[in-house]
Amino acid sequence: MSFNTFGHLFRVTTFGESHGAAIGCVVDGCPPRTPLTEADIQPYLDKRRPGQSRFTTQRQEPDQVKILSGVFTDPATGAQVTTGTPIALVIDNVDQRSKDYSDIKNKYRPGHADFTYDVKYGIRDYRGGGRQSARETAMRVAAGAIARKIVPGLTVRGALVQMGEHKIDRARWDWDEVERNPFFCPDAQQAKRYESYLDNVRKRGSSVGAVIEVVAEGVPPGLGAPIYGKLDGDLAAALMGINAVKGVEIGAGFAAAALSGEENADEIRMGNDGKPIFLSNQAGGILGGISTGQPVVCRFAVKPTSSILNPRRTVDRFGSETEIATKGRHDPCVGIRAVPIGEAMVACVIADHYLRQRAQLGESPVWPFARNEK
Ligand SMILES: Cc1cc2nc3c(=O)[nH]c(=O)nc-3n(C[C@H](O)[C@H](O)[C@H](O)COP(=O)(O)O)c2cc1C
């Protein structure tokens, strides 16, 4: 069985591979009359685009998105809007260098998916890793740009909070800083240190992992479909679906195991506006699989890039033991470009659950206190 589609009402199907002619996606379920042009999508793709600093792959892909279908001019406003039909998006691949991969044609890169693709399919597009390459994630970012337009008041932002062993100082967290350094790091001082650290890793022919945090603000309370469509469950699946992700946390995540019940309980008081105020957010904005109205906080761990210059022992397709040193253009820390991808996946899941909530219950639920029940 193939599985190239995710989402229930906001459905995204991607196609294409690293060294094919193009990559693309079809976004189905976007409500009609949503303003949408290429200019709404391009800035997010520009954030993920390779070759923008010495700290990411030097593959030069302009990643110019084209909308092929699903939009029309609104006669009332003259603006281009969605029509409610499938939105097809495409990006041409322009900078493939397939010869870089001739060495891995018959060898399996340890840590990469070469082996399992070959085991499963019996055929493998070794050029740039084919479909196993994160080139495909450009289309998730494009779909995420559409998703962001669906939920009113939603802001989804991501940041790199750890590179290798080096964590940021959360006291220095500044969202504006994320846009100012090549690592999407919210801690200016740590970002400076990452420069020499990652230069050193790259020069040694090695790679490192990272932890990314994504925070979604303006998520209405009530999103999530217990019990098999919990918001946290779907977020975990979406983030785990990103290449090289080996762990996902929501809120306090694994650290919750070391907290006491008192520390972990997000106490509730009443605000003057009749809305509840949570005094902390260990839950990461989700209880029982349903959003509380607090920011939704997710974290994911990205493993170090498997394609490294330093030789590793492996086997080939013919069963011979050998070594492999991967040349070609690779990110020394794939976690950096995973930041906009994580944001996009979170936006898609929240948009999907927003539409599901609307389908089942109409607009967002009213706070229990507003029901005037005694
Ligand atoms: C933005 C991004 C870029 C990536 N670039 C590379 C790369 O240049 N070289 C590489 O070996 N892996 C790269 N990866 C990781 C592989 O795609 C991934 O490890 C591989 O498909 C195996 O899947 P798995 O790690 O999820 O098991 C990248 C991942 C992301 C998120």
Side-chain angles (χ1 to χ4, degrees), residues 109 112-113 132-134 242-245 303 305-307 329-331 334 337-338 341:
R109 284 169 293 177
H112 216 292
Q132 71 199 61
S133 159
I242 300 172
N243 313 45
V245 172
K303 72 188 189 186
T305 323
S306 324
S307 306
R329 301 164 294 176
H330 298 277
D331 292 88
V334 297
R337 292 200 300 129
I341 306 166

Side-chain angles (χ1 to χ4, degrees), residues 93-256:
N93 286 330
V94 301
D95 188 23
Q96 306 96 317
R97 252 197 242 159
S98 302
K99 68 170 170 24
D100 284 351
Y101 291 87
S102 46
D103 196 39
I104 66 157
K105 186 174 170 189
N106 293 318
K107 294 179 185 175
Y108 305 121
R109 284 169 293 177
H112 216 292
D114 304 332
F115 172 68
T116 47
Y117 267 59
D118 210 3
V119 167
K120 185 175 174 71
Y121 300 109
I123 181 164
R124 172 169 78 87
D125 181 352
Y126 62 84
R127 304 162 311 157
R131 182 81 176 154
Q132 71 199 61
S133 159
R135 182 92 193 102
E136 177 271 345
T137 60
M139 300 324 302
R140 308 185 194 205
V141 171
I146 300 176
R148 288 173 194 263
K149 308 202 88 188
I150 291 176
V151 187
L154 176 70
T155 308
V156 183
R157 294 184 288 189
L160 184 147
V161 297
Q162 182 177 337
M163 187 187 288
E165 292 175 345
H166 306 287
K167 294 184 182 178
I168 63 153
D169 179 347
R170 298 183 79 89
R172 288 198 292 257
W173 190 300
D174 175 2
W175 278 113
D176 291 339
E177 185 53 37
V178 171
E179 306 296 328
R180 286 198 284 258
N181 64 69
F183 309 109
F184 303 118
C185 176
D187 170 354
Q189 285 184 37
Q190 192 60 288
K192 199 78 212 129
R193 283 188 219 115
Y194 285 160
E195 286 183 17
S196 49
Y197 170 66
L198 197 54
D199 268 338
N200 194 267
V201 167
R202 194 166 43 91
K203 282 178 194 148
R204 282 192 283 113
S206 188
S207 63
V208 280
V211 176
I212 315 305
E213 184 161 316
V214 180
V215 181
E217 287 163 299
V219 180
L223 304 195
I227 51 177
Y228 298 117
K230 288 180 168 181
L231 187 59
D232 39 4
D234 283 356
L235 285 168
L239 293 172
M240 204 67 175
I242 300 172
N243 313 45
V245 172
K246 293 308 270 185
V248 178
E249 294 185 328
I250 309 287
F254 273 71

Side-chain angles (χ1 to χ4, degrees), residues 256-269:
L259 298 177
S260 67
E262 294 84 346
E263 287 166 329
N264 187 60
D266 298 319
E267 293 184 286
I268 317 175
R269 310 309 300 155

